[in-house]
Amino acid sequence: MNIDHGRLDPLRRRRGPVQEHVIDEYVAGRLSRRQFLRRGTMVGLSVPLLGAILEACGSSGTTPSSPAPAAAGKSGATIKVGSSTPTAAINPITISDQGGLQMLGQAGEWLAFADQQNNYHPWLATSWTPNADASVWTFKLRPGVKFNDGKALTADDVVYSFKTQSDPKGASNALSVFGGTLLPDGVAKVDDETVAFHLEQPDGNFIDAVSENNYNMIIVPNGFDYADYQKSFVGTGRFTMTGYTPNVGATFVRNPHYWGTPARPARTEWTFYADDPAEASALEAGSVDCIDQFSVATGPQLLTGGFTVIALKASSHRELSMRNDIAPFTNKYVRQAIAYTLDRPAIVAALFKGYAEVGNDSPFAPAFRSTDPSVPQRTQNLKLAKELLARGGVSRGFSAPLVTEDSEEIPHLAEIVKQAASQIGVTINLTVETSTKYYGQAVFGKSDWLDAEMSLVDYGARGVPNVFLTAPLQSVNAQTGQGAWNAARFNDPTYDSLSKQFIAAVDLSTQRRLAGQLEQLLLDETPVIYPYFYEYLSASQKSVTGVYPTAIGGLFLWNAAKTA
């Protein structure tokens, strides 16, 4: 690396300690160019500054561009969309499904936006800076922003939104992210254009918690009644809602008060579909211009070349949880036995035709730069699985109920799990439910997803593994909201400590070291089986451009246009 210190030193000067550390890691060769760009945007280094630092270090190439850049085609079109049916009322507090989060993203916005490469862009915040240990993050807000009802956005609106969503006494789905990390008292207005977050523990990845990867966290007006959201879809985004009919669809038009470049479509019309094959058929028939998602299992006809397909390598996955508090899954050897029955390469080949990678029973996907690839891969071993059942006290097998949802390839995976378990004498009684029934109210005691003895659920992608490490795996703590999605009822103090250390780490080498320890621990305990990580697939007509899906399940149409 040919470094021009005369250019680099002024660029490095007056940065925060965490920002300086990221620059030093790159200069020392411990971060690749790509890793530096991503890590730099996370800790608040602007794209122009990143480009200048790269030039000072003798590196060429492009820096991250704005998400969803302008595409070919005429503005002013009506874009017809096929999407998943929201499973409940559109309420930013309670939404936990793909159809619902897509609705939030039409009129709502976040402080930051994570693009398809997991680089972070200023949105309602223009800049952010962590303190020395990443326990306090300070955000400068964008001036001149208005809600779609014409009212100005203020720091009070941001504070109210975060205080409400981080309240452990409430029912916010965002507690899956904030639990154990942010409490209402930690949200502070510094001045009219500045908000600070004082965290319960350091978090080197906190920017992800204020991006659309924490999809509930759209900003609403101070004092707003979230229960009324479906009536107004109030927000600062490029669109405003003109009609919403539950289980049917929604319509949006341009927001006349938008602070930035207006949306290219004049109108979007959303049709809700009960299942993925119906969405794929609608696109094939020309009834819609684009769909939010399809899978190889439910829409193979879309991969024949007649449509524009966007494939995003991501951390999207399925989790097969086993209740660690219900026998025989109280014994880790029994849980391991189920995991050893699965032929993961065969599952990936059958269900995804190459659009997925095998999982290793931890949430550290190959897409995460912090993943330790040296941890040995678990493979099918039926002889060992039978021995483990015997060690777990159930040598003659047992029976257990498995509940899952009728979505994409998940019922097919559930059948594979059932058949695989039968090879070692385990009988799985399978129930496949609608997503609405399966998720229920998405809280303990009122959700088949969270309460079933065995539960198979979908997880959309995230830019960092934090939420995968916390919500489904950290010990349940109702006071802080920690472990809000812990369907396995996993309770391990060593795991809790290591996962918190990982989240607090600000450099990649420390994260990777801790990731290796976490991966090994989860392989040993196996509270949850992670069979694969799959690519997120979205599709549109060839005549439609500018559609921007994200792997968490968002679908953004700001720059959508038609060429014919």
Side-chain angles (χ1 to χ4, degrees), residues 348-418:
V348 165
L351 297 183
F352 292 97
K353 312 299 183 187
Y355 288 94
E357 297 177 88
V358 296
N360 200 25
D361 293 339
S362 89
F364 284 98
F368 291 136
R369 295 173 180 89
S370 56
T371 298
D372 183 351
S374 70
V375 176
Q377 173 66 47
R378 176 171 276 166
T379 58
Q380 185 186 46
N381 189 329
L382 296 178
K383 180 176 181 293
L384 176 58
K386 292 176 181 178
E387 293 173 357
L388 288 167
L389 279 188
R391 292 177 69 181
V394 284
S395 59
R396 295 185 178 181
F398 63 95
S399 63
L402 167 61
V403 183
T404 192
E405 59 180 318
D406 187 7
S407 178
E408 299 179 57
E409 88 298 342
I410 295 178
H412 302 287
L413 174 60
E415 289 288 352
I416 291 172
V417 170
K418 177 180 178 178

Side-chain angles (χ1 to χ4, degrees), residues 17 79 109 137 185 225 277 327 348 356 434 455 459 508 511 537 540 551:
I79 304 296
E109 289 186 313
W137 288 68
D185 289 346
D225 185 349
V348 165
T434 65
S455 178
Y459 268 79
L508 187 61
Q511 288 183 346
L537 301 178
S540 66

Side-chain angles (χ1 to χ4, degrees), residues 238-259:
R238 284 182 170 89
F239 293 103
T240 185
M241 182 269 292
T242 55
Y244 180 84
T245 304
N247 302 313
V248 177
T251 56
F252 299 87
V253 298
R254 290 170 178 154
N255 174 9
H257 305 289
Y258 191 62
W259 55 266

Side-chain angles (χ1 to χ4, degrees), residues 126-403:
T126 58
S127 64
W128 49 89
T129 307
N131 69 345
D133 68 351
S135 63
V136 179
W137 288 68
T138 303
F139 290 77
K140 287 290 184 181
L141 303 181
R142 186 178 299 279
V145 175
K146 293 182 179 180
F147 289 100
N148 49 23
D149 62 2
K151 295 179 181 177
L153 173 75
T154 69
D156 293 322
D157 301 319
V158 175
V159 169
Y160 171 78
S161 298
F162 276 92
K163 280 183 176 290
T164 305
Q165 295 274 19
S166 64
D167 186 354
K169 296 179 182 178
S172 173
N173 189 61
L175 290 172
S176 62
V177 176
F178 292 140
T181 297
L182 180 67
L183 290 173
D185 289 346
V187 185
K189 175 182 175 181
V190 178
D191 57 42
D192 289 344
E193 295 183 349
T194 312
V195 173
F197 299 92
H198 300 260
L199 308 182
E200 294 298 293
Q201 60 182 23
D203 185 348
N205 297 328
F206 184 70
I207 185 61
D208 196 67
V210 305
S211 76
E212 89 284 0
N213 283 333
N214 188 8
Y215 46 82
N216 300 89
M217 205 53 255
I218 62 171
I219 304 303
V220 300
N222 185 20
F224 180 74
D225 185 349
Y226 282 90
D228 289 338
Y229 186 84
Q230 188 168 292
K231 299 176 184 177
S232 64
F233 278 61
V234 66
T236 61
R238 284 182 170 89
F239 293 103
T240 185
M241 182 269 292
T242 55
Y244 180 84
T245 304
N247 302 313
V248 177
T251 56
F252 299 87
V253 298
R254 290 170 178 154
N255 174 9
H257 305 289
Y258 191 62
W259 55 266
T261 303
R264 294 189 73 190
R267 179 181 174 90
T268 64
E269 298 177 352
W270 295 67
T271 300
F272 301 146
Y273 290 91
D275 54 46
D276 303 310
E279 276 190 58
S281 296
L283 184 69
E284 192 175 25
S287 302
V288 297
D289 298 311
C290 60
I291 58 174
D292 58 348
Q293 186 181 12
F294 72 97
S295 70
V296 173
T298 60
Q301 70 272 26
L302 303 184
L303 294 169
T304 58
F307 302 91
T308 298
V309 173
I310 299 174
L312 304 176
K313 286 189 177 296
S315 58
S316 312
H317 64 276
R318 311 308 186 196
E319 295 191 8
L320 175 60
S321 61
M322 296 162 283
R323 287 281 295 268
N324 292 196
D325 59 343
I326 298 178
F329 295 122
T330 49
N331 191 296
K332 71 177 182 180
Y333 298 124
V334 175
R335 304 193 297 265
Q336 290 176 13
I338 301 299
Y340 275 111
T341 66
L342 298 180
D343 184 348
R344 297 162 201 248
I347 292 172
V348 165
L351 297 183
F352 292 97
K353 312 299 183 187
Y355 288 94
E357 297 177 88
V358 296
N360 200 25
D361 293 339
S362 89
F364 284 98
F368 291 136
R369 295 173 180 89
S370 56
T371 298
D372 183 351
S374 70
V375 176
Q377 173 66 47
R378 176 171 276 166
T379 58
Q380 185 186 46
N381 189 329
L382 296 178
K383 180 176 181 293
L384 176 58
K386 292 176 181 178
E387 293 173 357
L388 288 167
L389 279 188
R391 292 177 69 181
V394 284
S395 59
R396 295 185 178 181
F398 63 95
S399 63
L402 167 61
V403 183

Side-chain angles (χ1 to χ4, degrees), residues 33-47:
R33 184 180 182 281
R34 183 181 178 189
Q35 290 166 345
F36 173 62
L37 289 173
R38 180 165 185 263
R39 195 70 195 164
T41 64
M42 291 183 74
V43 300
L45 296 174
S46 69
V47 170

Side-chain angles (χ1 to χ4, degrees), residues 99-127:
L101 73 90
Q102 287 168 3
M103 290 294 97
L104 294 183
Q106 302 314 302
E109 289 186 313
W110 304 266
L111 294 187
F113 189 87
D115 65 23
Q116 291 171 341
Q117 289 72 45
N118 291 321
N119 298 305
Y120 295 83
H121 300 263
W123 225 244
L124 293 180
T126 58
S127 64

